[in-house]
Amino acid sequence: MSGKKRILGILLLGAGAALVAVGILRSGVSIDTISPPTGLAEVIERKPRSIVLITTDTTRADHTSPYGAANVNTPNLQRLADQGVLFEQAFAVTPLTLPSHTSIMTGLYPPQTGVRNNGIHFADEKLNTMAEILTGQGYRSGAFVSASVLERRYGLDQGFEIYDDDMSKSRVRSPRMVPDRPAEFTVAAAREWLDTLEGDQPFFLWVHLYDPHAAYNPPPPFRDQFPSNPYAGEISYMDAQIGDLLAHPRIEQTPGVAVSVIADHGESLGEHGENTHGIFAYKATLHVPWILWVDDVITPARVSAPVSQVDLLPTLLDLASNLDGELAAGLPGRSLMNTIPATRPIYSESYLPFYTYGWAKLRVIRERGWEYISAPLEELYELKRDPRELTNQAQQRAEITHDMRNSMESFLQTAAPDGDLEQSLEVDQESLERLRALGYIAMGNAGPAIDGERLDPKDVIHLHTALEKARGFSNERLYAEAVRILEGLLVEDPNNLAALTDLASAHMKLTQFEQAQEVIEAALSLAPEHEQLLLILAQVERERSELGRSLLLVEQVLEINPTNMTAWQLKAQVEIASGKPDEALATLTGALQISPQHAVVNTLYAQTIELPAGQYPEAELRLRKATARDPYLPYAWRILGGLMEKLGREEEAEEAYRSGLNYSPDDARLHALLAVQLARREHPDAEAHLREAIRRETGFHGELYVSLGAELARKGRLDEARKFYARVLEVEPENAAAINNRAIAMARAGKTRQAIAELKALTSAYPEYADAHNNLAVLLLQKGDYTAARTHAGKATELAPEAARPWDILGAAQAGAGLTDQAADSLDRSLQLKPGYWSAHLHRGLLRIDQKDYQGAQADLEAAQANGGPLPEAYLALGDLYAGPLADPVRAQRYYQIYLEKFPSEPNIEDVRDRIWRIRMPGGNTEAID
């Protein structure tokens, strides 16, 4: 046993109640047992056994073949049901993943665990989990979960020796949704763990599979088998992976192993106007499949009595050699190995409407064939006659409504005598955004303060649907459409915090900061100390360069919650923007003391503290840890790629950018950075990534159009390039980069004089623009104006002393002016900054010929040729070297011949032919080099 404090004094429901029959399936015929039934002990033997718990996410019972579905293929679930026990009326405690799993693992209802919502609540350590109980009994234990909503920070890792929540082999179903990993990867990890088990020690394995969760996207061949029903395709794919797990020898060949498959909740699929789950508390999302299989079932059975997820823990403990007893004492759940009460109330709830929109909380009691939903407008359904809950009989059957209401009140008074319990967890901003995308929360863990009675979810479900549609537009970056829908929604529900927040975010994306501020201030009037709203307003103020105001808002958040990591991060960014690096260092250091592994803070620390100080190894280690911890953080991949480029590790830079895009394929900046990195190597994919960056960016970003124009110009598509430059200059007439690149395009088109004039005007207007000085120096060098070339190249080296190209051009201009020693120093500096730079090697090789350093010239020219592709100057100079001082006529003739083949349009072709002829003459000598 874990020794943790046990929760005591919990209501034992249904004591002394009447008993219900258990349907037994023998030879395909359903036979009701005679009274009194004895529970599952009649069909399953109690004895020590290993336990495999498989929880399937978002799985409707009626969409599996054991529950009668004909349009889905679940042979493995069917086999388990045919050979085991199927619970016909199993109900989830809530239509949400984390609260349901907490109840499954503890045998307690949400009012007793305090876990009512995903993301913002957690299982407190005082709770006693199934893993803690079984580990205390000598079990090996391993958990393998498939979605970040069950990460270890939410507390369900208690008692497990291994809790695998690694989402690195995962997918994001939309840019703003939580990461999950497909079932095949989770099952593979579980199988690897099973491989490590030795001997006869019993084990407890929990495997959570997330696949049927929206958006439905089954892999082949299931997407082809279910083209019009991808939800069924996801369930069929998941069933195949369950089969793969159960085929492992430690399960298939372990005597007495028990396998329990249960869903956390179902899916509405449009019923009652809800597309997915979480808002309503009807059967569509609360009736779940639950199948129990052991290899020594005496008689397969179908249990018709209503049961709850809270019954799973005591049942499995009892099944495993009568561990129930004291270990499960005081729990509301019942071991179904014993008698099954007929009139026990089964409780469920949905608090998501409250947390997301400030609407009413929904609570459900099912008892004696009736379903009662506590809501502003009460609901009552007779489930046998009305299984789809279509006819509300709350008014017609007032006496039943009265009794069910009393049953509800009695349950809540006993289960939660101190009122609604919440175990709240501080969540970072990025996780909040992902959870909000799934509709789990508005902006935090408190409902908005609204005067009067809260809205009934069934009256405003269309607003939820509209919000989902608006979020879809935002995911596609159609922010204006999202604004239109959200503004219409807020006319009907002006206090909807989720809609207000999404509207503010959409305005920010459209750079409409004043509108964003108005919306946020309206939201803050509902929740004045709401941390996330205050942070969004701080971000708006930062965008508007109101740094003092932004800092005050951030500090207000930190007064409310000193552990809010997003606030620490934003505070450091504002301090950096305010020119206060020492304050930023102190802020980031303090943040890392609170959360040493925080990916965003570590990335910011590397970018703003370590990189400027030249602490490259430390920054690289920190960034690699950040990307490993949160591979969905494009910001970290960008900084890591930039560092690799700075260190000259081009392949690793490309790998970093591509890795980031694997996880965040819609990140425009990653596309742009990769494109520029590829363009330097003249990679054919550069253009495609630039176009993708332009497509995915919101607003107009002139630098992307300029870069695309440069790439097109490099490919010789000068007319297209000029069109992009013209587009930039229409919007930004003073865009220096566009003017610079337009001048280069002119030069490539043979209009050198016009290009020089434009660059001279540009350097006069923007004297601190290094690229313009450098490009002007290149053109002046080509014209033989070495003095002017030296002037502009020298200015470029002053402005960009760490760039290799200006030093190269300066060296070439100095060499042309006969300043050989200065030229050598400049070219050496260029190659120190960028080892292998072909142009500097070429210029230094030519300079060394003048200095009569022929061996050094040979090495430089061959390096230029190796790194820069076919260079006519290098081939010709090498030919002259071997024909003259290096005295190797065979190699000289080869270089001359290659020159003729590769560069037939060069003006000195006849002269080169003459040199070859002279080599071939007896005693011939080109006399090209003294």
Side-chain angles (χ1 to χ4, degrees):
M1 291 289 294
S2 67
K4 292 190 176 184
K5 179 181 178 182
R6 187 184 304 279
I7 297 179
L8 301 175
I10 297 172
L11 175 65
L12 294 175
L13 298 173
L19 304 179
V20 68
V22 179
I24 306 297
L25 185 66
R26 295 190 179 93
S27 303
V29 179
S30 178
I31 302 175
D32 291 337
T33 59
I34 60 174
S35 181
T38 57
L40 298 182
E42 183 180 84
V43 297
I44 304 176
E45 179 185 357
R46 289 184 174 97
K47 68 178 184 180
R49 62 180 79 242
S50 293
I51 296 173
V52 177
L53 172 61
I54 303 172
T55 57
T56 65
D57 214 291
T58 324
T59 307
R60 282 178 65 133
D62 61 3
H63 275 57
T64 64
S65 55
Y67 288 83
N71 61 341
V72 68
N73 184 25
T74 55
N76 292 294
L77 293 179
Q78 187 66 58
R79 175 174 61 86
L80 294 176
D82 289 344
Q83 300 173 5
V85 178
L86 180 143
F87 298 95
E88 294 178 341
Q89 296 188 71
F91 290 97
V93 297
T94 181
L96 295 173
T97 298
L98 178 63
S100 283
H101 278 92
T102 305
S103 291
I104 288 170
M105 289 297 177
T106 64
L108 297 170
Y109 280 112
Q112 298 155 341
T113 67
V115 182
R116 326 301 286 268
N117 198 7
N118 288 332
I120 60 174
H121 294 152
F122 73 103
D124 191 272
E125 64 176 8
K126 68 185 177 183
L127 298 175
N128 213 21
T129 68
M130 193 184 318
E132 288 176 299
I133 294 171
L134 293 174
T135 300
Q137 296 296 314
Y139 276 65
R140 299 287 303 277
S141 58
F144 301 84
V145 301
S146 296
S148 62
V149 290
L150 292 179
E151 286 176 340
R152 65 183 64 241
R153 60 174 161 170
Y154 299 118
L156 292 184
D157 62 325
Q158 298 175 57
F160 285 104
E161 64 181 79
I162 179 172
Y163 193 89
D164 184 343
D165 57 356
D166 179 9
M167 298 296 126
S168 60
K169 293 181 179 178
S170 58
R171 58 184 173 183
V172 177
R173 295 169 183 256
S174 85
R176 294 175 58 197
M177 287 191 176
V178 299
D180 71 279
R181 59 178 169 180
E184 60 196 272
F185 295 107
T186 308
V187 167
R191 287 177 61 93
E192 288 178 8
W193 178 76
L194 288 170
D195 289 338
T196 68
L197 302 182
E198 299 178 353
D200 298 328
Q201 186 177 10
F203 64 87
F204 171 43
L205 169 64
W206 170 33
V207 176
H208 161 253
L209 304 176
Y210 190 73
D211 299 88
H213 200 288
Y216 319 122
N217 187 26
F222 303 96
R223 67 188 307 108
D224 300 321
Q225 295 172 6
F226 300 92
S228 60
N229 190 356
Y231 177 68
E234 291 275 29
I235 292 176
S236 298
Y237 162 68
M238 182 176 64
D239 179 87
Q241 297 305 315
I242 290 174
D244 189 42
L245 174 65
L246 298 182
H248 192 280
R250 289 293 298 194
I251 299 175
E252 193 172 52
Q253 299 173 18
T254 297
V257 67
V259 177
S260 180
V261 182
I262 189 170
D264 62 348
H265 56 77
E267 189 80 320
S268 282
L269 300 176
E271 291 190 25
H272 299 278
E274 183 180 29
N275 294 322
T276 55
H277 61 271
I279 298 295
F280 287 145
Y282 297 115
K283 280 183 62 181
T285 60
L286 294 175
H287 180 212
V288 295
W290 182 11
I291 301 168
L292 179 60
W293 176 95
V294 297
D295 68 352
D296 54 0
V297 167
I298 300 169
T299 308
R302 296 179 72 91
V303 177
S304 59
V307 297
S308 170
Q309 288 173 331
V310 299
D311 297 325
L312 183 139
L313 178 143
T315 299
L316 292 184
L317 294 180
D318 193 5
L319 176 65
S321 192
N322 197 22
L323 289 176
D324 181 22
E326 177 205 351
L327 299 176
L331 298 178
R334 289 294 190 86
S335 168
L336 303 179
M337 296 293 292
N338 303 314
T339 55
I340 303 174
T343 59
R344 176 181 57 149
I346 302 294
Y347 173 81
S348 303
E349 69 179 34
S350 178
Y351 276 26
L352 186 67
F354 170 76
Y355 288 115
T356 302
Y357 303 120
W359 298 343
K361 300 172 181 177
L362 301 178
R363 303 179 183 92
V364 185
I365 283 288
R366 294 179 180 85
E367 190 175 16
R368 299 185 180 90
W370 291 93
E371 175 185 80
Y372 168 76
I373 302 177
S374 174
L377 178 62
E378 295 175 301
E379 298 175 67
L380 181 70
Y381 302 98
E382 189 175 4
L383 293 177
K384 186 173 182 179
R385 297 178 60 186
D386 184 16
R388 296 280 182 182
E389 302 137 314
L390 299 177
T391 303
N392 181 5
Q393 299 188 56
Q395 292 185 352
Q396 293 89 333
R397 302 299 302 271
E399 73 287 358
I400 302 294
T401 302
H402 174 269
D403 291 345
M404 297 291 283
R405 186 188 307 118
N406 286 343
S407 181
M408 171 75 73
E409 292 174 356
S410 176
F411 170 84
L412 292 174
Q413 287 172 2
T414 307
D418 298 325
D420 278 342
L421 174 65
E422 296 183 22
Q423 294 293 347
S424 298
L425 178 73
E426 173 59 28
V427 187
D428 61 89
Q429 183 72 16
E430 185 176 359
S431 296
L432 282 171
E433 285 297 317
R434 287 173 174 166
L435 291 164
R436 286 181 57 241
L438 291 172
Y440 290 143
I441 49 180
M443 283 301 297
N445 60 357
I450 304 172
D451 295 333
E453 188 174 271
R454 296 185 182 273
L455 295 174
D456 193 320
K458 58 181 169 287
D459 293 335
V460 283
I461 186 63
H462 62 285
L463 299 179
H464 171 70
T465 304
L467 190 66
E468 287 183 322
K469 186 176 181 181
R471 286 173 174 164
F473 280 126
S474 291
N475 289 338
E476 296 299 323
R477 297 175 306 283
L478 300 173
Y479 300 111
E481 290 297 318
V483 166
R484 179 182 60 80
I485 293 174
L486 292 166
E487 288 179 339
L489 186 159
L490 287 164
V491 170
E492 186 171 351
D493 185 11
N495 294 322
N496 191 312
L497 266 183
L500 287 166
T501 304
D502 283 359
L503 179 58
S505 177
H507 280 310
M508 286 186 68
K509 293 293 186 180
L510 294 170
T511 65
Q512 298 170 347
F513 299 124
E514 291 186 5
Q515 294 93 321
Q517 181 178 6
E518 291 176 5
V519 172
I520 295 170
E521 288 176 347
L524 283 171
S525 68
L526 303 173
E529 292 192 346
H530 206 293
E531 297 169 33
Q532 280 69 42
L533 285 171
L534 290 168
L535 285 174
I536 292 176
L537 183 56
Q539 290 167 343
V540 170
E541 297 290 11
R542 178 187 169 204
E543 292 290 342
R544 298 173 61 197
S545 298
E546 296 290 341
L547 300 180
R549 170 69 175 153
S550 179
L551 191 59
L552 287 174
L553 288 164
V554 172
E555 289 173 344
Q556 182 180 347
V557 172
L558 289 173
E559 288 179 6
I560 298 169
N561 179 10
T563 65
N564 189 311
M565 297 308 295
T566 305
W568 284 103
Q569 168 198 337
L570 185 55
K571 182 182 179 185
Q573 290 173 324
V574 173
E575 287 168 339
I576 292 165
S578 302
K580 301 175 181 178
D582 293 339
E583 287 86 341
L585 172 59
T587 296
L588 292 172
T589 302
L592 290 174
Q593 290 174 350
I594 297 170
S595 182
Q597 305 302 320
H598 196 277
V600 176
V601 174
N602 273 287
T603 301
L604 187 58
Y605 190 95
Q607 180 190 17
T608 59
I609 305 301
E610 291 173 330
L611 291 180
Q615 298 171 352
Y616 301 142
E618 295 84 350
E620 179 181 356
L621 179 61
R622 189 181 298 275
L623 290 166
R624 291 199 183 279
K625 286 182 178 180
T627 54
R629 183 169 181 82
D630 186 0
Y632 290 91
L633 184 62
Y635 166 46
W637 291 110
R638 291 182 218 141
I639 305 305
L640 177 60
L643 174 57
M644 294 300 97
E645 288 193 63
K646 187 176 187 64
L647 296 176
R649 293 152 60 180
E650 295 290 337
E651 291 184 0
E652 291 179 76
E654 179 181 347
E655 181 183 359
Y657 296 139
R658 290 193 186 277
S659 295
L661 287 170
N662 285 339
Y663 291 102
S664 304
D666 65 330
D667 189 82
R669 303 315 301 164
L670 276 174
H671 280 290
L673 290 168
L674 177 59
V676 172
Q677 199 258 355
L678 293 176
R680 284 200 298 270
R681 294 185 283 118
E682 300 186 1
H683 193 289
D685 289 348
E687 178 185 347
H689 282 285
L690 277 169
R691 290 187 183 276
E692 192 68 3
I694 290 171
R695 185 177 77 86
R696 292 186 177 279
E697 277 285 12
T698 57
F700 183 83
H701 292 265
E703 72 276 7
L704 295 177
Y705 286 83
V706 170
S707 296
L708 180 56
E711 178 64 11
L712 294 171
R714 182 188 66 77
K715 294 179 177 179
R717 294 153 61 184
L718 299 177
D719 288 341
E720 291 180 71
R722 283 194 289 268
K723 289 179 182 178
F724 278 100
Y725 300 143
R727 173 75 179 102
V728 175
L729 293 170
E730 284 177 10
V731 180
E732 302 169 353
E734 302 301 318
N735 188 301
I739 297 170
N740 173 74
N741 284 20
R742 184 175 64 182
I744 300 306
M746 289 180 183
R748 285 176 172 163
K751 301 177 181 179
T752 306
R753 186 176 62 182
Q754 297 95 314
I756 290 175
E758 186 145 298
L759 287 170
K760 283 183 176 180
L762 183 59
T763 56
S764 177
Y766 298 95
E768 303 302 306
Y769 186 21
D771 281 351
H773 284 287
N774 195 63
N775 289 326
L776 179 55
V778 170
L779 297 183
L780 293 170
L781 187 63
Q782 291 173 358
K783 289 191 64 178
D785 189 348
Y786 301 122
T787 300
R790 277 176 21 235
T791 299
H792 287 284
K795 182 65 174 177
T797 62
E798 293 175 10
L799 296 170
E802 299 302 312
R805 182 161 170 73
W807 289 104
D808 171 43
I809 301 305
L810 177 59
Q814 289 166 334
L819 304 171
T820 56
D821 290 341
Q822 295 178 28
D825 289 342
S826 296
L827 294 169
D828 287 346
R829 175 64 175 157
S830 178
L831 288 167
Q832 287 171 3
L833 292 168
K834 187 176 180 181
Y837 182 28
W838 67 267
S839 182
H841 273 300
L842 175 62
H843 289 142
R844 194 170 70 174
L846 298 174
L847 177 66
R848 283 178 166 174
I849 291 175
D850 292 338
Q851 295 173 321
K852 301 188 184 311
D853 177 7
Y854 302 125
Q855 295 295 335
Q858 173 200 358
D860 270 321
L861 292 170
E862 289 180 349
Q865 180 189 37
N867 294 308
L871 301 170
E873 301 94 332
Y875 280 104
L876 187 57
L878 282 166
D880 289 346
L881 271 175
Y882 286 115
L886 297 183
D888 188 341
V890 175
R891 297 185 72 176
Q893 184 174 335
R894 187 178 69 192
Y895 277 111
Y896 287 145
Q897 193 62 47
I898 294 173
Y899 182 90
L900 293 176
E901 294 172 359
K902 289 184 174 292
F903 313 109
S905 300
E906 288 291 312
N908 58 346
I909 288 296
E910 291 304 321
D911 180 55
V912 174
R913 288 197 179 102
D914 183 61
R915 297 183 195 195
I916 294 173
W917 179 81
R918 280 192 265 173
I919 289 174
R920 290 173 178 173
M921 291 289 291
N925 191 331
T926 64
E927 299 177 355
I929 300 175
D930 296 336

